[in-house]
Amino acid sequence: MGWTMRLAMAALILSLTMLVTTDEEESDRCVYEALPDTDAVICKGLEVFYPELGNIGCMFVPDCSNYRLKITHWPAPTVKFPRALEDATYILVMVDPDAPSRSNPQAQFWRHWLVTDIKGIDLKKGKILGRELSAYQPPKPPSQTGFHRYQFFVYLQGGKSISLLPEENRTRASWKMDRFLNRYDLNEPEASTQFMTENYQDSPNFQAPEGRSSELKERPKQK
């Protein structure tokens, strides 16, 4: 083999090695991290699927592939309760108890999603086809507020007709969830889970795209 050919082969091997190393590093950052035991206690029988992520229940949204940014734009997740009773009716609640931050939750509970009249046969398949009292709002934790918990609860509705009071409909913030549950005699949830994420700009791996830094700074804050 000539000297020129040897140099070409060496360059090819080096480039392939760098590519594999980069892929391995990216893969390492995509390892899903489970929530600590203190937060995992509410993970009971409910599954929450987002595009690309799969079932994110009881997990941190991984810091890779722009997932912490993408989840702020994705539509409502697929929520599945495999043990739902087919002839029963359920209520789905999604809240953020950490608004504006876990250390200062003055606006808890932030109501992200509230759906009633969900048929058990649909909930088993992950079809949320009930009546939306609060349309789905993606998780958008404000910058520099740390990780937020996004909690999902499913309750047996029975034959009750569920609605929000006028004052509850005026804002999603500071929702008195306990009062709502007590008003309709909704006791322990049939199933529940949560995931955690932080503002994507707070990620140690976040790099603002060129020409978009001012746009990102001007983006309005969302609880």
Side-chain angles (χ1 to χ4, degrees), residues 124-164:
K124 288 186 71 169
K125 302 173 183 177
K127 297 178 180 179
I128 307 301
L129 301 176
R131 185 166 63 102
E132 275 194 335
L133 300 185
S134 294
Y136 174 74
Q137 185 182 74
K140 294 184 179 180
S143 181
Q144 300 180 354
T145 62
F147 280 92
H148 285 228
R149 294 168 290 173
Y150 292 91
Q151 300 179 333
F152 296 76
F153 301 95
V154 164
Y155 297 88
L156 267 175
Q157 181 174 342
K160 306 178 185 74
S161 178
I162 308 295
S163 62
L164 290 169

Side-chain angles (χ1 to χ4, degrees), residues 39-57:
D39 289 308
V41 292
I42 76 165
C43 301
K44 298 177 181 179
L46 203 58
E47 301 171 357
V48 176
F49 297 84
Y50 279 94
E52 301 180 33
L53 284 173
N55 183 11
I56 197 65

Side-chain angles (χ1 to χ4, degrees), residues 9-129:
M9 288 293 294
L12 178 60
I13 292 172
L14 178 61
S15 64
L16 289 174
T17 301
M18 292 177 64
L19 179 62
V20 170
T21 301
T22 301
D23 288 344
E24 287 178 349
E25 290 176 352
E26 179 69 18
S27 177
D28 288 343
R29 288 199 289 122
C30 272
V31 172
Y32 286 42
E33 182 182 352
L35 299 184
D37 291 343
T38 52
D39 289 308
V41 292
I42 76 165
C43 301
K44 298 177 181 179
L46 203 58
E47 301 171 357
V48 176
F49 297 84
Y50 279 94
E52 301 180 33
L53 284 173
N55 183 11
I56 197 65
C58 225
M59 299 284 179
F60 289 92
V61 173
D63 181 19
C64 61
S65 301
N66 287 327
Y67 287 143
R68 292 177 184 173
L69 171 59
K70 291 176 180 178
I71 201 170
T72 67
H73 300 292
W74 280 331
T78 296
V79 179
K80 185 182 297 186
F81 179 27
R83 296 177 60 187
L85 302 174
E86 293 189 359
D87 58 350
T89 306
Y90 293 89
I91 300 169
L92 172 65
V93 178
M94 175 188 176
V95 291
D96 173 5
D98 303 323
S101 69
R102 191 164 185 173
S103 60
N104 183 33
Q106 293 182 349
Q108 77 168 208
F109 290 86
W110 189 280
R111 193 173 66 251
H112 278 264
W113 202 14
L114 178 59
V115 188
T116 67
D117 304 308
I118 306 169
K119 295 179 180 178
I121 192 171
D122 290 329
L123 189 56
K124 288 186 71 169
K125 302 173 183 177
K127 297 178 180 179
I128 307 301
L129 301 176

Side-chain angles (χ1 to χ4, degrees), residues 180-192:
F180 170 82
L181 296 174
N182 289 334
R183 190 161 73 238
Y184 295 107
D185 295 319
L186 301 173
N187 300 314
E188 290 296 314
E190 297 297 303
S192 56

